[in-house]
């Protein structure tokens, strides 16, 4: 009896320890091989403080109460390893180089009827903190199990603790029944487009006019590669690839960050942009994105605007030097403003390994600015002193 109570108590204590995320509050320890990182080594295996390769792909970072939290896709080995078999992982760090695992912030569900059941696809999770509600809000790209990339939904999970556990709330296609702010006189006659062949000039013109916006008007706009951005005034935005990945959409989130207000815009219709990463510098909004070549790298592109609602101006490929045409074999995921440093931004990208996704690598590089344009150059070893 005493023994079983002890086992029960130990289990309760252990479970609460894991759920509270207490495992990641200390960043003091370095990797168990005895070293701590003193520099970034883009493209190399990046060990956490337990000496395990960091498993947080397509990720984003939240800075909260003096600590950085890295959320990303947990991948498994082998073909098919992109499916969500475990969930969204979380790591913490105080110096951006040495990361401690906080475990799984959002676990996949064992219930086969759940939208986030094991085997679904969860990509590019991003977490933001809502000052008004005190809640941590995670949005991510969700594809339903066994449906390929057809669902094209955004998913929401929330927690009152930064490292989770996050509770899954819902998923949907955004802005159902709502036109973007610039489509003031929308056509609903999609039939007139039916004869158009993809990639012809007529079809491209129709895409610009909103062909896919019209097709998806009732069921909601597609939402695949995504990111979040919180502005200085506390308003948050959800930026995602829509319209068969042909056009990026920017949507305003509600004050609690847990829904869409219905205010939204399209940028670069037909521009074929994925992997959006948005940041603000000197009052201007910058966006870095990729082209659409699946898991294969392509040239990054950058954009600038005085307002999040546009007009956006294309600035071209921010990458320079060898391999810049393939973004140094990677694809953007997030731009991280470094705390406490002036004008310090880190470009975060994924070097995907689609045949063995768990082996995917991280390309983190400093962004410099020339004539107000972002510039990214490969550097096989660098540290935060580059910002000084
Ligand atoms: C490219 C995207 O940017 C990735 O996030 C992922 O969705 C792959 N396509 C899937 O092919």
């Amino acid at each position: 009896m005493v023994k079983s109570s002890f086992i029960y108590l130990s289990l309760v204590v252990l479970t609460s320890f894991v759920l509270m995320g207490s495992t990641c509050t200390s960043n003091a320890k370095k990797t168990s091989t005895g070293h701590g990182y003193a520099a970034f080594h883009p493209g190399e295996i990046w060990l956490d403080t337990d000496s395990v390769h960091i498993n947080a792909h397509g990720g984003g970072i939240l800075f909260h109460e003096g600590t950085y939290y890295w959320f990303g896709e947990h991948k498994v080995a082998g073909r098919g390893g992109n499916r969500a078999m475990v969930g969204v992982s979380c790591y913490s760090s105080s110096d951006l180089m040495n990361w401690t695992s906080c475990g799984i912030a959002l676990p996949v569900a064992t219930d086969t009827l759940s939208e986030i059941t094991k085997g679904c696809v969860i990509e590019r999770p991003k977490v933001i903190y809502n000052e008004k509600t005190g809640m941590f809000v995670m949005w991510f790209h969700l594809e339903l199990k066994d449906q390929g990339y057809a669902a094209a939904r955004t998913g929401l999970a929330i927690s009152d603790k930064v490292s989770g556990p996050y509770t899954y709330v819902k998923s949907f296609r955004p802005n159902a029944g709502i036109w973007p702010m610039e489509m003031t006189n929308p056509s609903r006659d999609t039939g007139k487009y039916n004869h158009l062949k993809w990639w012809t000039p007529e079809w491209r013109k129709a895409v610009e006019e909103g062909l896919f916006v019209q097709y998806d008007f009732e069921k909601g706009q597609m939402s695949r590669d995504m990111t979040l951005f919180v502005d200085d005034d506390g308003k948050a935005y959800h930026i995602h690839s829509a319209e068969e990945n042909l056009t990026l959409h920017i949507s305003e989130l509600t004050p609690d960050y847990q829904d869409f207000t219905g205010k939204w815009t399209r940028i670069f219709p037909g521009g074929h942009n994925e992997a959006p990463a948005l940041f603000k510098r000197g009052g201007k909004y910058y966006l870095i994105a990729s082209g659409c070549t699946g898991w294969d790298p392509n040239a990054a592109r950058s954009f600038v605007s005085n307002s999040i609602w546009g007009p956006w101006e294309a600035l071209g490929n921010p990458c320079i030097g060898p391999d810049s045409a393939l973004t140094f074999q990677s694809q953007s995921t997030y731009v991280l403003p470094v705390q406490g440093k002036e004008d310090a931004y880190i470009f975060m990208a994924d070097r995907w390994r689609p045949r063995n996704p768990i082996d995917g690598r991280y390309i983190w590089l400093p962004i410099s600015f020339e004539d107000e344009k972002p510039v990214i150059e490969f550097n096989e070893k660098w540290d935060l002193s580059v910002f000084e």
Side-chain angles (χ1 to χ4, degrees):
M1 178 65 184
V2 171
K3 195 173 164 201
S4 64
S5 311
F6 174 75
I7 292 173
Y8 173 75
L9 200 69
S10 309
L11 275 175
V12 169
V13 169
L14 189 70
T15 313
S16 351
F17 187 67
V18 169
L19 293 184
M20 278 164 55
S22 322
T23 46
C24 69
T25 48
S26 159
N27 288 299
K29 69 177 177 158
K30 304 297 182 192
T31 61
S32 58
T33 49
H35 71 281
Y37 291 109
F40 298 97
H41 303 267
E44 287 186 15
I45 288 276
W46 195 347
L47 301 178
D48 67 12
T49 52
D50 292 322
S51 295
V52 178
H53 181 40
I54 293 174
N55 198 338
H57 310 267
I61 307 262
L62 171 70
F63 182 74
H64 186 72
E65 294 181 347
T67 300
Y68 294 96
Y69 293 89
W70 177 355
F71 297 87
E73 305 158 22
H74 177 285
K75 307 264 196 197
V76 295
R79 278 192 181 275
N82 183 55
R83 286 176 304 145
M85 306 306 281
V86 177
V88 172
S89 27
C90 174
Y91 293 80
S92 75
S93 174
S94 53
D95 64 8
L96 291 173
M97 286 172 279
N98 297 286
W99 292 90
T100 298
S101 172
C102 304
I104 298 302
L106 174 68
V108 292
T110 45
D111 174 1
T112 51
L113 296 177
S114 165
E115 291 173 349
I116 60 160
T117 193
K118 186 174 173 180
C120 67
V121 170
I122 293 179
E123 290 182 351
R124 300 183 181 269
K126 305 286 179 293
V127 174
I128 51 181
Y129 176 65
N130 189 288
E131 300 272 355
K132 297 187 193 82
T133 62
M135 296 297 284
F136 298 89
V137 181
M138 177 191 290
W139 289 93
F140 52 91
H141 168 201
L142 175 68
E143 295 295 346
L144 303 176
K145 190 178 176 197
D146 298 332
Q147 295 187 24
Y149 278 75
R153 294 186 186 203
T154 190
L156 170 70
I158 55 172
S159 177
D160 59 1
K161 292 190 191 68
V162 59
S163 57
Y166 284 74
T167 304
Y168 177 67
V169 180
K170 59 185 171 183
S171 80
F172 55 92
R173 282 192 170 194
N175 299 315
I178 304 169
W179 297 109
M181 55 202 279
E182 62 278 6
M183 280 175 75
T184 46
N185 188 17
S187 157
R188 292 301 330 274
D189 178 15
T190 47
K192 70 182 180 191
Y193 299 122
N194 285 347
H195 68 286
L196 295 179
K197 272 178 103 177
W198 279 55
W199 310 115
T200 58
E202 300 74 35
W203 176 86
R204 281 183 192 280
K205 187 164 171 293
V207 169
E208 277 171 38
E209 283 171 14
L211 156 67
F212 288 101
V213 176
Q214 293 171 45
Y215 277 147
D216 290 332
F217 181 72
E218 263 133 38
K219 64 179 168 204
Q221 301 299 315
M222 295 182 179
S223 182
R224 293 202 180 110
D225 281 10
M226 55 77 63
T227 194
L228 300 176
F229 171 73
V230 181
D231 209 339
D232 307 328
D233 61 3
K235 281 194 181 175
Y237 301 87
H238 185 288
I239 300 103
H240 60 269
S241 298
E243 304 179 32
E244 297 292 358
N245 301 341
L246 286 158
T247 303
L248 286 171
H249 291 182
I250 298 184
S251 300
E252 185 182 68
L253 294 177
T254 50
D256 65 2
Y257 302 166
Q258 295 181 31
D259 219 330
F260 285 58
T261 64
K263 184 173 180 184
W264 69 283
T265 191
R266 307 164 72 214
I267 63 171
F268 296 100
H272 233 184
N273 295 305
E274 277 191 330
L278 201 150
F279 63 104
K280 195 174 184 183
R281 172 186 181 260
K284 287 186 189 295
Y285 299 82
Y286 289 88
L287 178 68
I288 298 181
S290 75
C292 301
T293 49
W295 301 109
D296 295 332
N298 53 55
R301 49 288 295 270
S302 57
F303 309 93
V304 66
S305 175
N306 289 322
S307 158
I308 192 134
W309 301 117
W312 288 83
E313 180 197 343
L315 297 177
N317 187 351
C319 300
I320 59 165
D323 228 4
S324 54
L326 292 179
T327 318
F328 320 114
Q329 307 292 329
S330 70
Q331 186 185 31
S332 43
T333 182
Y334 197 74
V335 170
L336 167 65
V338 181
Q339 298 299 313
K341 295 211 184 268
E342 278 284 301
D343 219 17
Y345 299 87
I346 297 177
F347 172 69
M348 291 171 50
D350 292 281
R351 187 173 280 175
W352 303 114
R353 292 272 159 91
R355 291 185 185 161
N356 189 22
I358 196 172
D359 191 35
R361 308 296 171 86
Y362 310 100
I363 304 295
W364 287 27
L365 293 167
I367 303 180
S368 58
F369 291 85
E370 279 171 24
D371 300 330
E372 305 300 301
K373 291 184 183 177
V375 176
I376 305 165
E377 201 169 3
F378 195 77
N379 191 340
E380 60 185 20
K381 185 178 176 198
W382 65 280
D383 61 43
L384 298 179
S385 66
V386 297
F387 296 118
E388 272 146 28

